[in-house]
Coordinates of all heavy atoms in Angstrom, one line a residue:
P400 N -28.2 -6.2 -3.4 CA -28.2 -4.8 -3.8 C -29.4 -4.0 -3.3 O -30.4 -4.5 -3.0 CB -28.3 -4.9 -5.3 CG -29.0 -6.1 -5.6 CD -28.6 -7.1 -4.5
D401 N -29.2 -2.7 -3.1 CA -30.3 -1.8 -2.6 C -30.0 -0.4 -3.2 O -29.3 0.4 -2.6 CB -30.3 -1.8 -1.1 CG -31.5 -1.0 -0.5 OD1 -32.0 -0.1 -1.2 OD2 -32.0 -1.4 0.6
R402 N -30.6 -0.1 -4.4 CA -30.3 1.1 -5.1 C -30.6 2.4 -4.2 O -29.8 3.3 -4.2 CB -31.1 1.2 -6.4 CG -30.7 2.4 -7.2 CD -31.5 2.4 -8.5 NE -32.9 2.4 -8.3 CZ -33.6 3.5 -8.2 NH1 -33.0 4.7 -8.1 NH2 -34.9 3.5 -8.0
R403 N -31.8 2.4 -3.6 CA -32.1 3.5 -2.8 C -31.2 3.8 -1.6 O -30.7 4.9 -1.4 CB -33.6 3.4 -2.3 CG -34.1 4.6 -1.5 CD -35.6 4.4 -1.2 NE -36.4 4.4 -2.4 CZ -37.7 4.2 -2.4 NH1 -38.3 4.1 -1.2 NH2 -38.4 4.2 -3.5
A404 N -30.9 2.7 -0.9 CA -29.9 2.8 0.2 C -28.5 3.2 -0.3 O -27.8 4.0 0.3 CB -29.9 1.5 1.0
H405 N -28.1 2.7 -1.4 CA -26.8 3.0 -2.0 C -26.7 4.4 -2.3 O -25.7 5.1 -1.9 CB -26.7 2.1 -3.3 CG -25.3 2.2 -3.9 ND1 -24.2 1.6 -3.4 CD2 -24.9 2.9 -5.1 CE1 -23.2 1.9 -4.2 NE2 -23.6 2.6 -5.2
E406 N -27.7 5.0 -3.0 CA -27.6 6.4 -3.4 C -27.7 7.3 -2.2 O -27.0 8.4 -2.1 CB -28.8 6.7 -4.3 CG -28.6 6.0 -5.7 CD -29.8 6.2 -6.6 OE1 -30.8 6.8 -6.1 OE2 -29.8 5.9 -7.8
A407 N -28.5 6.9 -1.2 CA -28.6 7.7 0.1 C -27.2 7.8 0.8 O -26.8 8.8 1.3 CB -29.7 7.2 1.0
M408 N -26.6 6.6 0.9 CA -25.3 6.5 1.6 C -24.2 7.3 0.9 O -23.3 7.9 1.5 CB -24.9 5.1 1.8 CG -25.7 4.4 2.9 SD -25.0 2.8 3.4 CE -25.6 1.8 2.0
I409 N -24.2 7.3 -0.4 CA -23.3 8.1 -1.2 C -23.4 9.5 -0.9 O -22.4 10.3 -0.7 CB -23.4 7.8 -2.7 CG1 -22.9 6.4 -3.1 CG2 -22.6 8.8 -3.5 CD1 -23.0 6.0 -4.5
R410 N -24.7 10.0 -0.9 CA -24.9 11.4 -0.5 C -24.3 11.8 0.8 O -23.7 12.9 1.0 CB -26.4 11.7 -0.6 CG -27.0 11.8 -2.0 CD -28.3 12.4 -2.1 NE -29.3 11.6 -1.3 CZ -30.0 10.7 -1.9 NH1 -29.9 10.4 -3.2 NH2 -30.9 10.0 -1.2
R411 N -24.5 10.9 1.8 CA -24.0 11.1 3.2 C -22.5 11.2 3.2 O -21.9 12.0 3.8 CB -24.5 10.1 4.1 CG -26.0 10.2 4.5 CD -26.4 9.5 5.7 NE -26.3 8.1 5.6 CZ -27.3 7.3 5.2 NH1 -28.5 7.9 4.8 NH2 -27.2 6.0 5.0
I412 N -21.9 10.2 2.4 CA -20.4 10.2 2.3 C -19.9 11.5 1.7 O -18.9 12.1 2.2 CB -20.0 9.0 1.4 CG1 -20.1 7.7 2.1 CG2 -18.5 9.2 0.9 CD1 -19.1 7.5 3.1
E413 N -20.5 12.0 0.7 CA -20.0 13.2 0.0 C -20.2 14.4 0.9 O -19.5 15.4 0.8 CB -20.8 13.4 -1.3 CG -20.4 12.3 -2.3 CD -21.1 12.4 -3.6 OE1 -22.2 13.0 -3.6 OE2 -20.7 11.7 -4.6
Q414 N -21.2 14.4 1.8 CA -21.4 15.5 2.7 C -20.4 15.5 3.8 O -20.0 16.5 4.3 CB -22.9 15.5 3.2 CG -23.9 15.8 2.2 CD -25.3 15.5 2.7 OE1 -25.5 15.1 3.8 NE2 -26.3 15.8 1.9
R415 N -20.1 14.2 4.3 CA -19.2 14.1 5.4 C -17.8 14.4 5.1 O -17.1 15.1 5.9 CB -19.3 12.6 6.0 CG -18.3 12.3 7.1 CD -18.4 10.9 7.5 NE -17.3 10.6 8.5 CZ -17.1 9.3 8.9 NH1 -17.9 8.3 8.5 NH2 -16.1 9.1 9.7
F416 N -17.3 13.9 4.0 CA -15.9 14.1 3.6 C -15.7 15.2 2.6 O -16.0 15.0 1.4 CB -15.3 12.7 3.1 CG -15.4 11.6 4.0 CD1 -16.4 10.7 4.0 CD2 -14.4 11.5 5.0 CE1 -16.4 9.6 4.9 CE2 -14.4 10.4 5.9 CZ -15.4 9.5 5.9
T417 N -15.4 16.3 3.1 CA -15.2 17.5 2.2 C -13.8 17.6 1.6 O -13.7 18.2 0.5 CB -15.6 18.8 2.9 OG1 -14.8 18.9 4.1 CG2 -17.1 18.8 3.3
R418 N -12.9 17.0 2.3 CA -11.5 17.1 1.7 C -11.3 15.8 1.0 O -11.4 14.7 1.5 CB -10.5 17.1 2.9 CG -9.0 17.2 2.3 CD -8.0 17.3 3.4 NE -6.7 17.4 2.9 CZ -5.6 17.4 3.7 NH1 -5.7 17.3 5.0 NH2 -4.4 17.5 3.1
R419 N -11.0 15.9 -0.3 CA -11.0 14.7 -1.2 C -9.7 14.4 -1.9 O -9.6 13.5 -2.7 CB -12.1 14.8 -2.2 CG -13.5 14.9 -1.5 CD -14.6 15.1 -2.5 NE -15.9 15.3 -1.7 CZ -17.0 15.4 -2.3 NH1 -17.1 15.5 -3.6 NH2 -18.1 15.5 -1.5
R420 N -8.6 15.2 -1.6 CA -7.3 15.0 -2.2 C -6.3 15.1 -1.1 O -6.4 16.0 -0.2 CB -7.0 15.9 -3.3 CG -7.9 15.7 -4.5 CD -7.4 16.6 -5.7 NE -6.1 16.1 -6.2 CZ -5.6 16.5 -7.4 NH1 -6.3 17.4 -8.1 NH2 -4.5 16.0 -7.8
P421 N -5.3 14.3 -1.1 CA -4.2 14.4 -0.1 C -3.3 15.5 -0.5 O -3.4 16.1 -1.5 CB -3.5 13.0 -0.3 CG -3.7 12.6 -1.7 CD -5.1 13.1 -2.0
P422 N -2.3 15.8 0.3 CA -1.3 16.8 0.0 C -0.6 16.4 -1.3 O -0.5 15.3 -1.7 CB -0.3 16.8 1.1 CG -1.1 16.2 2.3 CD -2.0 15.3 1.7
T423 N -0.2 17.4 -2.1 CA 0.4 17.2 -3.4 C 1.7 16.3 -3.2 O 1.9 15.4 -4.1 CB 0.9 18.5 -4.0 OG1 -0.3 19.3 -4.2 CG2 1.5 18.3 -5.4
H424 N 2.5 16.4 -2.2 CA 3.7 15.6 -2.1 C 3.3 14.1 -2.0 O 4.1 13.2 -2.4 CB 4.5 16.0 -0.9 CG 3.9 15.7 0.5 ND1 4.0 14.5 1.1 CD2 3.2 16.5 1.3 CE1 3.4 14.6 2.3 NE2 2.9 15.8 2.4
A425 N 2.1 13.8 -1.4 CA 1.7 12.4 -1.3 C 1.3 11.9 -2.6 O 1.6 10.7 -3.0 CB 0.5 12.3 -0.3
E426 N 0.6 12.7 -3.4 CA 0.2 12.3 -4.8 C 1.4 12.1 -5.6 O 1.5 11.1 -6.5 CB -0.7 13.3 -5.4 CG -2.1 13.4 -4.7 CD -3.1 14.3 -5.4 OE1 -2.7 15.4 -5.7 OE2 -4.1 13.8 -5.8
V427 N 2.4 12.9 -5.5 CA 3.6 12.8 -6.3 C 4.4 11.5 -5.9 O 4.9 10.8 -6.8 CB 4.6 14.0 -6.0 CG1 6.0 13.8 -6.6 CG2 3.9 15.3 -6.6
R428 N 4.4 11.2 -4.6 CA 5.0 9.9 -4.2 C 4.4 8.7 -4.9 O 5.1 7.8 -5.4 CB 4.9 9.8 -2.7 CG 5.2 8.4 -2.2 CD 5.3 8.3 -0.7 NE 6.6 8.8 -0.3 CZ 7.7 8.0 -0.1 NH1 7.6 6.7 -0.2 NH2 8.8 8.5 0.3
G429 N 3.1 8.7 -4.9 CA 2.4 7.6 -5.6 C 2.7 7.5 -7.1 O 2.9 6.4 -7.6

Side-chain angles (χ1 to χ4, degrees):
D401 189 330
R402 183 177 63 84
R403 183 173 296 180
H405 185 74
E406 293 175 352
M408 284 190 285
I409 288 179
R410 287 194 295 270
R411 288 199 292 271
I412 285 287
E413 292 175 344
Q414 291 171 357
R415 174 183 172 187
F416 298 98
T417 56
R418 184 180 180 186
R419 300 178 181 180
R420 294 189 67 167
T423 301
H424 69 84
E426 292 188 302
V427 168
R428 164 171 281 267

